[in-house]
Amino acid sequence: MSKLYILGGIAVMALTTYLIRVVPMVFFRKKIENVRVRSFLYYVPYTVLAAMTFPAIFSSTASGMGAVAGCFVAVVLAYKKKGLLVVALGAAAAVLLFGLFGL
Amino acid sequence: MKKEDFKEGIRDGLPICFGYISVSMAFGLTAVKSGLPLWAAVLVSFTNLTSAGQFAGINLLLAQSTYIELMITTFIINIRYFLMSISVSQRAEESFGMKERLIASFGITDEVFAVSMQRREELSFSYMLGLMLTAVAGWTGGTLMGAVAAALLPEVLTDAMGIMLYGMFIAIIVPPAKEHRNVLIAVVLAIAASYAFHCIPLFSALSGGWSVIIITVGVSMLAAWMFPIKEEQI
């Protein structure tokens, strides 16, 4: 695996990814007035995050039970409108406790 | 530059930064252990700023794949950023010029996108810059730390950190779902679809990236058709 091959490969990855990100930013500048399209874009963040979180969250740690506990704590904290960091740390703390007790 | 916005961007970016460190440390560790030079692992993180996309990418690199394969795989896994970029573009304030767009689009990740969508105000370039610089620092720094020092962390600690990004996602989804029944239904549908894709053999053959794209587009279209959003909710 030569240095040049690696550099070229990284450039291919970086350029492809950048183009995906930059094209909409440059070409979709006008405000979209269509209600259906606006509604669609409104729902995207929630559906994409939900699909990425479940079921993947349950295999994000070594202990399945720990992940369930972490998920539960995260949902409860989020329901109480705690901030991102508090929710994330709360979930990690739950996983850690389960790990420490070997569950 | 709006100093206040920039600071707020950094503040909102800190949870992303911490969340990224655990994941990118895992990436750095894995990449170097698999035979990628340390500089390459760090360069991949710095120039790509993706998770699944670059995990798959270095696998292909290590397997000496062609650049075409590398390009198509990267494209498929990262195509969801296209949708996110459209949303960010819609929320960008008037003063967002071409140069700002060329710079800010580099930093659109799942988390940067999610956090910026949470913001009530229109997005200023200063805010986006603060957000993305914090994210880039966490992602690149974490990769370096992973490549160099992750072996020193007790396993139970790194393992527990793996859930943090999902915790962040939950923190973003739950409050609006609690408040708006239409968001709740969209979220439940997306989760159900995600489980279906995971469990049904025909669909689970799809890459994770494709599944997420199909679910996102399908469920969001369905929700937009069933419950079009009135001005005040946006």
Side-chain angles (χ1 to χ4, degrees), chain A residues 5 13 17-18 21-22 25 28 30-32 36 39 42-43 47 51 53-54 58 62 79 81 87, chain B residues 48-49 64-65 67 78 85 89-90 101-102 105-106 108 159 178-179 182 194 220 224-225 227 229 233:
Chain A
Y5 170 75
M13 288 162 64
T17 309
Y18 181 65
R21 286 169 169 154
V22 81
M25 278 289 265
F28 291 83
K30 262 185 69 181
K31 287 265 183 281
I32 294 174
R36 300 277 177 206
S39 302
Y42 171 85
Y43 286 114
T47 52
T53 304
F54 298 95
F58 298 116
Y79 194 80
K81 298 209 168 171
V87 175
Chain B
N48 279 257
L49 199 66
Q64 306 266 3
S65 311
Y67 285 163
N78 291 339
S85 228
S89 184
Q90 292 295 303
R101 283 172 185 266
L102 290 178
S105 54
F106 175 80
I108 293 172
D159 181 53
K178 177 185 171 188
E179 212 161 306
N182 51 350
S194 185
S220 300
W225 175 70
F227 319 107
I229 302 295
Q233 196 173 332

Side-chain angles (χ1 to χ4, degrees), chain B residues 4 37 112 150 182 216:
Chain B
E4 239 357 89
V112 165
N182 51 350
T216 303

Side-chain angles (χ1 to χ4, degrees), chain A residues 29-101:
Chain A
R29 299 177 62 156
K30 262 185 69 181
K31 287 265 183 281
I32 294 174
E33 300 294 344
N34 185 299
V35 175
R36 300 277 177 206
V37 178
R38 285 170 58 107
S39 302
F40 170 79
L41 292 174
Y42 171 85
Y43 286 114
V44 163
Y46 306 119
T47 52
V48 72
L49 294 179
M52 282 199 301
T53 304
F54 298 95
I57 187 172
F58 298 116
S59 43
S60 67
T61 68
S63 142
M65 282 305 289
V68 171
C71 179
F72 178 74
V73 169
V75 171
V76 170
L77 289 174
Y79 194 80
K80 294 186 170 176
K81 298 209 168 171
K82 302 291 178 202
L84 298 190
L85 191 57
V86 174
V87 175
L89 287 174
V95 172
L96 190 62
L97 279 178
F98 262 76
L100 288 177
F101 292 116

